[in-house]
Amino acid sequence: MDRDEARRLLAAVANGATGVDEAMRRLESGVLGDGGGYADLGFARIDTHRALRTGDPEVVYAAGKTTEQVAAIVKHLTSANPNRPILVTRADDAARAAVRAACPDGHLLEDATGRCVALGPLPEIPRGRVAVVCAGTSDLPVAAEATFTARVFGAAVEQITDVGVAGIHRILAARPALDRADAVVVVAGMDGALPSVVGGLTGRPIVAVPTSVGYGAAFGGLAALLTMLNSCAPGVAVVNIDNGFGAGLYGARIARQTDSGTDRDTLGTVTELPR
């Protein structure tokens, strides 16, 4: 049960359309069930209240889990929240195959580049718009994770690829897309300079994502992280190295709050997940 469902239920009780006993039954199963907000599977305690608390889809971080654990978690979440999407991140080929096998009849979307899979119905109408700006093709896995996440979390997404500072005219040509966005995610490795450049081109909120792409002195993304933390451009927030998921979620939440109300047909080059 999410906030909208809870509101509808309470309104139905208030206007007499639903009785108190029926409302209690639904609350017990949808809110109070599963041991008070979580289900204990032995190896994991599954949060069943996230939608009610935050309005966000449930997310499963697949890295470090066995395929059997990922499948069991996804099956329980699908059963508990059949009308809401579930996002699985850092899912390698084996984990994505396990999810497919666990939920053969549900809506399922995959992005092998971003190592993500989503189950369940995605939002039909996007709320706000996120631009995901990727410095180089080598940064694409992290950018794809950010794009996929923002889309599952309900935003329209426009992805702009290979516009790093080594050819700065490329990002200058993308200014209209930056200005169309409610939030901008900037993904870059090596020197990590792109978020500062983008921050000087637009007044939109920016979340910067350092990647582990680069030669030895990049120190696995640490150089890019420090560059972004020391950005001279205002309005740049920074997430951890390679954290495309965190950046996509953050951008989608900003877009959701801003929600420009732009019609879907006027969104320009929007990255849509296949249905």
Side-chain angles (χ1 to χ4, degrees), residues 122-148:
L122 298 186
E124 289 291 332
I125 300 174
R127 295 181 61 187
R129 180 190 335 212
V130 176
V132 177
V133 181
C134 181
T137 304
S138 296
D139 302 306
L140 266 176
V142 177
E145 183 180 62
T147 295
F148 197 93

